[in-house]
């Protein structure tokens, strides 16, 4: 069993004024795939490095299985790390790159050979074993880095944006492959990414970080459907969620229905796909001007301006390009309400 | 197709370039060829009115006299011991120090390194006497240890290797740390091989430097049987009337190994490495 438990992990780099991570606590269950998601510079890599033992936390504890890992050397933590730039050994062959970790652990030769064979076959690397990393394509290097991790059969896999150096198409393909791969080997995975699609499609659980603080922990659906605050609400989902203050809603002519929080002030979030739009006027709907119409095939994204605000709406309607007026309303059950002061979720 | 203006210009440029190179090569090689040819000439021919490039009468007398005048094998042996051990030790120590300064985190690292660099400003001649006195009080005069130890670490080489190592991505070392390499194994099996171009370069410099070194062995080795080749050669020069054939034969014997080493190591000289280590 390899459960990873982080409790109140904080990190302040020497000489820095602000903590890079503050009070990070979450648990990764055995065989769970957890993504750390957040904008650039929010501390994802730092957190992963702390888990790997490459960086020491300023405070907090890290427990893997039953044992406290806070003071254990990286090589004794039984984890594998896939670096963003792969960090292959340039002067060793692919085979050595993959097998060195096992050889250093004094595992029997026959077993090493068997494991290397199984792993490289699974990843389609068998024909490349004799090559040096510089003779590989980016995608192949990425798979070698993955093989180096998989072959060790570690308690926990740590991956730092392993797909970010691949082109869009390969990234799409690899995403699914990775997910299936880790399901197959029943790996416990902590996966760092700033790509929400990756996090949404691959994870059992997502941890959203901003400025070194956890914003929300939940399954992809929970996070999408019940964002804990305005940051998460706008960070997840493309096009971005519309954010309107109570005042803005009133200015644009939206009639409050009474289902809204009975507060002096609140902020409402509504996803573009939760706007209902129409080309003709409807009773009680808000009228706006279509500034931009972006058809993407199945969906069309409209940018609609109303007095005091602009909203985005996604619709399956084939929107006529010369249609410059739009009428819209919100699907009540999909409206998110946040406190305007703290940004926290209310409903 | 008619040759265009830029074609003609580039031909002219190339011609000028090659002429320049050929002249440079002749100027550089001439003393070397002269030494080689003189070593095979008879004493009479060395001083003919019309100098000849090649000997008219090839003779090995210069070499015979050389080997008769001094115990060449002994001095050759001393030279090899001196150059090989100082090269091996200095490359190892310099690389280890460079690794620490480039990749290990410890308090005061930058200050210590700056201090080390400052010592480069003190010329060797200034420290020679104090070092001599220290060696004397340690009883290391006339010994190989005394000859080799003071030169077995060089700040400039440490600096060069450190610069090179700093280019190697930290992640490779971290991957190794996670893979289970010990700190020493990281140095020995990852850093050293990756630094091969700079190490090869410094090995050659260090070897040739020690091989040609005259002053230091002269000061430290007081007994004739401990002389290195250059010192031994100089001592012949003083003892007899200058026998140019013999002297040039000696010079050939001294220079030859250095040239061979240089040619052998040439292909390892600085060239791009670490390619393929990280995204490319
Ligand atoms: N060794 C260090 N010393 C000081 N500050 C550091 C160090 N490493 C990282 N930081 C700082 O910590 C913050 C978080 O860095 P980190 O690399 O964890 O971000 P990230 O979330 O992985 O970003 P990205 O998505 O761009 O990779 C950054 O502001 C960075 O400048
Ligand atoms: Mg990062």
């Amino acid at each position: 069993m390899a459960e990873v438990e982080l409790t109140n992990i904080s990190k302040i780099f020497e000489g820095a004024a602000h903590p890079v991570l503050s009070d990070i606590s979450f648990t990764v269950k055995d065989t769970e795939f957890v993504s750390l998601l957040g904008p650039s510079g929010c501390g994802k890599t730092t957190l992963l490095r702390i888990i790997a033992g490459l960086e020491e936390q300023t405070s907090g504890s890290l427990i893997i299985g039953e044992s406290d890992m806070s003071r254990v050397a990286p090589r004794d933590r039984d984890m594998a790390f896939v670096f963003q730039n792969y960090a292959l050994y340039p002067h060793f062959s692919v085979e050595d790159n993959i097998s060195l970790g096992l050889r250093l652990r004094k595992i029997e030769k026959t077993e090493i050979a068997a494991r290397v064979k199984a792993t490289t076959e699974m990843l389609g690397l068998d024909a490349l074993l004799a090559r040096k990393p510089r003779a590989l394509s980016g995608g192949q290097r990425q798979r070698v880095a993955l093989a180096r991790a998989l072959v060790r059969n570690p308690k926990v896999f740590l991956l730092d944006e392993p797909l970010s150096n691949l082109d869009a198409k390969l990234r799409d393909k690899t995403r699914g492959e990775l997910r299936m791969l880790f399901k197959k080997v029943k790996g416990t995975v902590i996966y760092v990414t700033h790509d929400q699609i990756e996090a949404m499609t691959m994870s059992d659980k997502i941890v959203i970080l901003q400025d070194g603080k956890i914003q929300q922990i939940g399954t992809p659906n929970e996070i999408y459907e019940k964002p804990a605050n305005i940051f998460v609400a706008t960070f997840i989902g493309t096009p971005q969620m519309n954010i309107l203050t109570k005042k803005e809603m009133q200015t644009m002519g939206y009639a409050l229905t009474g289902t809204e929080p009975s507060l002096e002030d609140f902020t409402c979030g509504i996803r573009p796909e939760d706007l209902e739009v129409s080309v003709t006027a409807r009773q009680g709907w808000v009228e706006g001007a279509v500034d931009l119409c972006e058809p993407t095939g199945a969906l069309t994204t409209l940018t609609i301006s109303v007095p005091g605000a602009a909203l985005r709406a996604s619709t399956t309607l084939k929107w006529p390009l010369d249609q410059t007026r739009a009428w819209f309303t919100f699907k009540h059950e999909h409206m998110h309400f946040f406190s305007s002061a703290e940004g926290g979720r209310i409903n | 197709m008619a040759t265009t203006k830029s074609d003609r210009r580039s031909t002219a440029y190339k011609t000028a370039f090659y002429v320049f190179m050929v002249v440079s090569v002749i100027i550089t090689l001439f003393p070397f060829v002269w030494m080689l040819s003189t070593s095979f000439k008879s004493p009479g021919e060395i001083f003919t009115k019309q100098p000849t490039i090649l000997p008219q009468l090839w003779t090995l007398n210069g070499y015979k006299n050389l080997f008769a005048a001094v115990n060449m094998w002994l001095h050759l042996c001393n030279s090899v011991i001196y150059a090989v051990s100082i090269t091996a030790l200095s490359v190892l120590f310099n690389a280890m120090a460079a690794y620490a300064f480039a990749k290990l985190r410890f308090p005061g690292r930058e200050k210590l390194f700056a201090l080390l660099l400052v010592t480069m400003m003190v010329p060797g001649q200034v420290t020679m006497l104090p070092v001599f006195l220290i060696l004397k009080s340690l009883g290391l005069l006339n010994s190989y240890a005394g000859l080799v130890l003071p030169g077995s670490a060089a700040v400039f080489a440490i600096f060069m290797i450190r610069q090179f190592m700093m280019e190697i991505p930290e992640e490779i070392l971290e991957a190794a740390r996670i893979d289970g390499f010990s700190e020493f194994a990281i140095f020995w099996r990852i850093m050293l091989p990756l630094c091969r171009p700079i190490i090869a370069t410094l090995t050659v410099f260090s070897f040739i430097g020690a091989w040609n070194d005259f002053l230091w062995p002269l000061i430290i080795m007081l007994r004739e049987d401990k002389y290195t080749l250059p010192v031994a050669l100089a001592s012949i020069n003083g003892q007899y009337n200058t026998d140019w054939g013999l002297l040039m034969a000696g010079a050939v014997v001294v220079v030859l190994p250095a040239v061979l080493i240089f040619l052998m190591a040439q292909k390892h000289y600085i060239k791009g490495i670490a390619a393929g280590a990280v995204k490319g």
Side-chain angles (χ1 to χ4, degrees):
Chain A
M1 288 297 275
E3 209 175 76
V4 183
E5 197 181 329
L6 287 79
T7 317
N8 296 328
I9 299 261
S10 294
K11 173 76 185 175
I12 304 177
F13 280 109
E14 222 170 291
H18 299 284
V20 170
L21 295 168
S22 26
D23 280 335
I24 302 290
S25 306
F26 63 89
T27 307
V28 181
K29 296 204 200 72
D30 193 37
T31 75
E32 202 172 29
F33 193 115
V34 172
S35 290
L36 301 180
L37 176 64
S40 190
C42 69
K44 306 178 295 283
T45 300
T46 308
L47 183 55
L48 206 64
R49 291 168 53 85
I50 288 175
I51 299 173
L54 296 173
E55 205 81 63
E56 202 180 333
Q57 69 266 39
T58 310
S59 63
S61 81
L62 170 69
I63 292 171
I64 295 165
E66 306 285 67
S67 30
D68 186 342
M69 286 287 163
S70 306
R71 295 279 176 275
V72 176
R75 66 164 162 270
D76 299 322
R77 293 192 182 197
D78 197 11
M79 298 180 166
F81 200 114
V82 177
F83 292 85
Q84 187 169 2
N85 57 16
Y86 314 140
L88 302 176
Y89 311 124
H91 56 306
F92 286 127
S93 68
V94 166
E95 179 166 19
D96 286 340
N97 262 284
I98 296 172
S99 63
L100 265 173
L102 298 178
R103 301 212 310 254
L104 290 166
R105 284 182 163 72
K106 304 268 179 316
I107 292 172
E108 250 184 83
K109 275 219 171 78
T110 48
E111 159 142 22
I112 294 180
R115 272 159 76 169
V116 170
K117 189 157 179 288
T119 312
T120 50
E121 270 173 11
M122 187 159 63
L123 292 169
L125 291 170
D126 2 10
L128 307 174
L129 291 182
R131 292 213 200 152
K132 294 271 172 69
R134 74 170 147 273
L136 300 177
S137 74
Q140 290 166 334
R141 282 178 206 169
Q142 190 259 344
R143 273 182 288 154
V144 174
L146 211 56
R148 179 166 71 178
L150 284 168
V151 82
R152 292 238 326 265
N153 194 15
K155 279 202 194 116
V156 184
F157 292 94
L158 306 173
L159 294 88
D160 190 2
E161 312 207 22
L163 306 186
S164 63
N165 287 324
L166 305 183
D167 66 52
K169 211 163 161 196
L170 189 57
R171 191 157 51 207
D172 268 6
K173 181 165 156 275
T174 315
R175 219 163 48 206
E177 284 175 0
L178 268 188
R179 185 73 189 106
M180 288 191 287
L181 197 64
F182 284 115
K183 272 269 167 301
K184 196 157 119 195
V185 302
K186 297 199 167 58
T188 306
V189 183
I190 305 181
Y191 186 98
V192 161
T193 179
H194 64 251
D195 181 323
Q196 48 166 306
I197 307 285
E198 271 174 34
M200 296 290 280
T201 53
M202 299 171 78
S203 326
D204 297 315
K205 196 158 86 185
I206 301 179
V207 176
I208 297 195
L209 287 172
Q210 189 212 9
D211 286 344
K213 295 185 197 71
I214 291 186
Q215 301 296 319
Q216 187 169 10
I217 303 176
T219 64
N221 282 340
E222 280 167 11
I223 284 185
Y224 192 77
E225 281 157 17
K226 280 199 174 312
N229 53 39
I230 297 180
F231 170 78
V232 177
T234 51
F235 186 67
I236 297 288
T238 30
Q240 224 180 43
M241 183 187 275
N242 298 299
I243 297 292
L244 300 162
T245 60
K246 184 177 179 183
K247 197 143 165 257
E248 281 168 339
M249 292 172 81
Q250 287 163 336
T251 318
M252 76 168 81
Y254 179 82
L256 296 180
T257 57
T259 51
E260 296 85 6
S262 50
L263 283 174
E264 192 63 17
D265 191 19
F266 60 78
T267 300
C268 168
I270 180 94
R271 294 203 183 276
E273 69 265 27
D274 295 327
L275 261 70
E276 286 187 273
V277 289
S278 156
V279 292
T280 53
R282 300 251 190 121
Q283 176 63 36
W285 288 29
V286 182
E287 186 185 355
V290 178
D291 286 347
L292 188 64
C293 169
E294 298 163 287
T296 56
L299 285 178
T300 301
T301 307
L302 304 174
T303 306
I304 303 171
S305 64
V306 288
L311 293 99
R312 307 249 278 162
S314 298
T315 174
T316 50
L317 291 178
K318 291 278 173 269
W319 194 262
L321 284 177
D322 54 357
Q323 174 73 34
T324 55
R325 306 302 293 175
W327 286 262
F328 65 89
T329 188
F330 305 142
K331 294 178 184 163
H332 291 173
E333 65 279 19
H334 291 299
M335 290 169 80
H336 309 268
F337 295 101
F338 305 100
S339 139
S340 291
E342 295 103 40
R345 185 180 187 86
I346 302 170
N347 66 328
Chain B
M1 283 262 272
T3 52
T4 65
K5 205 170 163 190
S6 77
D7 269 352
R8 253 177 284 135
R9 191 178 298 162
S10 81
T11 317
Y13 172 78
K14 261 191 194 155
T15 315
F17 178 73
Y18 281 113
V19 168
F20 174 74
M21 291 308 272
V22 167
V23 171
S24 311
V25 167
I26 291 174
I27 292 175
T28 319
L29 275 187
F30 182 75
F32 193 77
V33 172
W34 193 249
M35 166 190 83
L36 208 59
S37 122
T38 306
S39 75
F40 291 107
K41 284 178 184 168
S42 61
E45 200 186 333
I46 293 174
F47 291 108
T48 48
K49 279 236 174 70
Q50 280 177 337
T52 47
I53 299 259
L54 288 180
Q56 272 152 351
L57 242 174
W58 292 77
T59 167
L60 283 173
N61 276 343
Y63 291 88
K64 278 189 195 135
N65 293 341
L66 172 70
F67 279 75
V70 284
N71 188 344
M72 281 303 279
W73 294 116
L74 179 73
H75 299 308
L76 190 73
C77 211
N78 288 340
S79 265
V80 169
I81 291 175
Y82 176 44
V84 167
S85 49
I86 208 165
T87 303
L89 284 181
S90 71
V91 165
L92 180 69
F93 290 154
N94 293 339
M96 284 164 93
Y99 176 57
F101 282 120
K103 293 294 183 193
L104 301 183
R105 295 189 207 168
F106 57 89
R109 183 178 80 168
E110 304 310 318
K111 289 203 184 81
L112 200 61
F113 188 66
L115 195 68
L116 211 59
L117 288 185
V118 166
T119 64
M120 275 208 298
M121 286 193 249
V122 184
Q125 289 81 346
V126 174
T127 52
M128 205 167 255
L129 190 61
V131 172
F132 178 84
L133 293 177
I134 292 171
L135 289 178
K136 188 175 170 205
S137 62
L138 288 175
L140 288 179
L141 293 187
N142 260 323
S143 76
Y144 291 117
L147 185 63
V148 168
L149 283 181
S152 59
V155 177
F156 182 68
I158 295 175
F159 174 76
M160 292 290 287
I161 305 176
R162 170 180 174 269
Q163 291 311 99
F164 200 89
M165 284 181 168
M166 295 209 314
E167 298 293 312
I168 295 173
E170 202 69 38
E171 284 92 344
I172 293 183
L173 309 193
E174 292 176 339
R177 236 159 252 156
I178 291 174
D179 251 353
F181 282 82
S182 65
E183 270 322 296
F184 184 75
I186 291 177
F187 169 72
W188 193 253
R189 300 188 58 188
I190 305 221
M191 285 312 252
L192 274 193
L194 288 182
C195 289
R196 202 169 74 180
I198 187 73
I199 297 220
T201 310
L202 291 171
T203 302
V204 173
F205 282 175
S206 162
F207 184 90
I208 294 179
W211 187 264
N212 291 340
D213 193 6
F214 174 71
L215 196 52
W216 184 246
L218 178 71
I219 294 176
I220 294 297
M221 298 309 212
L222 305 171
R223 280 177 20 214
E224 200 190 333
D225 63 327
K226 293 283 178 73
Y227 282 179
T228 58
L229 271 184
V231 179
L233 217 59
S235 73
I236 312 174
N237 193 12
Q239 272 169 6
Y240 308 87
N241 292 335
T242 303
D243 176 346
W244 287 104
L246 177 152
L247 205 62
M248 287 302 117
V252 169
V253 172
V254 173
V255 159
L256 219 52
V259 171
L260 284 182
I261 295 268
F262 189 84
L263 291 180
M264 266 170 10
Q266 208 173 25
K267 76 171 199 276
H268 296 294
Y269 265 38
I270 301 283
K271 59 185 166 194
I273 61 140
V278 295
K279 61 167 173 162

